[in-house]
Amino acid sequence: MTEKIALTPATHTTPPAKFSHGVKKGNLLQVAGQVGFLPAVEGQAPTPAGPTLREQTLQTFANVKAILEEGGASWDDVMMMRVYLTDVDHFAEMNEIYNAYFEAEGLKEAASARTTVYVGLPKGLLIEIDALAVLS
């Protein structure tokens, strides 16, 4: 039986409850929902990258990528992403940021399948993203 391995990159704080930032089992890697918190600073509460959707989205991508890399994966291994937005009016802007980010990462075609939904997040947070990767 394949062991589950919890993943917490050095850039991330310890989760506030009994879950992991990422879990790898066999060739599957599930990244838990990530938000736009700046890299962890010991003794300080998590801080959003900024008040704008752009700042938070780019930091959220960096946080997802850090967990993928911790588990030996890359964006090329991602099969599914789920994007959670707090405001339906952010959808078009998020798509522009999303497309530009993945183009800059060298992924000209669709990075993965994706679902986008609208949710409530803690005050000040605008976006959350999770990802499922399958490793070769």
Side-chain angles (χ1 to χ4, degrees), residues 18-111:
K18 289 285 202 187
F19 66 87
S20 300
H21 287 291
V23 175
K24 183 177 175 182
K25 184 171 182 176
N27 68 336
L28 296 178
L29 191 162
Q30 176 65 56
V31 177
Q34 299 297 299
V35 294
F37 286 144
L38 293 169
V41 175
E42 192 170 332
Q44 290 184 10
T47 306
T52 69
L53 181 65
R54 175 171 295 285
E55 291 166 312
Q56 288 190 27
T57 301
L58 293 176
Q59 185 61 52
T60 300
F61 282 139
N63 294 342
V64 171
K65 186 176 180 180
I67 296 164
L68 290 171
E69 290 174 349
E70 184 81 7
S74 71
W75 290 119
D76 285 328
D77 299 308
V78 173
M79 299 297 294
M80 179 67 181
M81 291 178 65
R82 284 165 291 273
V83 176
Y84 307 92
L85 294 172
T86 60
D87 188 337
V88 68
D89 291 335
H90 288 160
F91 187 75
E93 180 183 1
M94 184 276 299
N95 275 335
E96 289 174 17
I97 297 164
Y98 188 98
N99 290 341
Y101 176 85
F102 285 109
E103 187 171 315
E105 287 287 309
L107 299 172
K108 303 284 187 214
E109 300 299 320

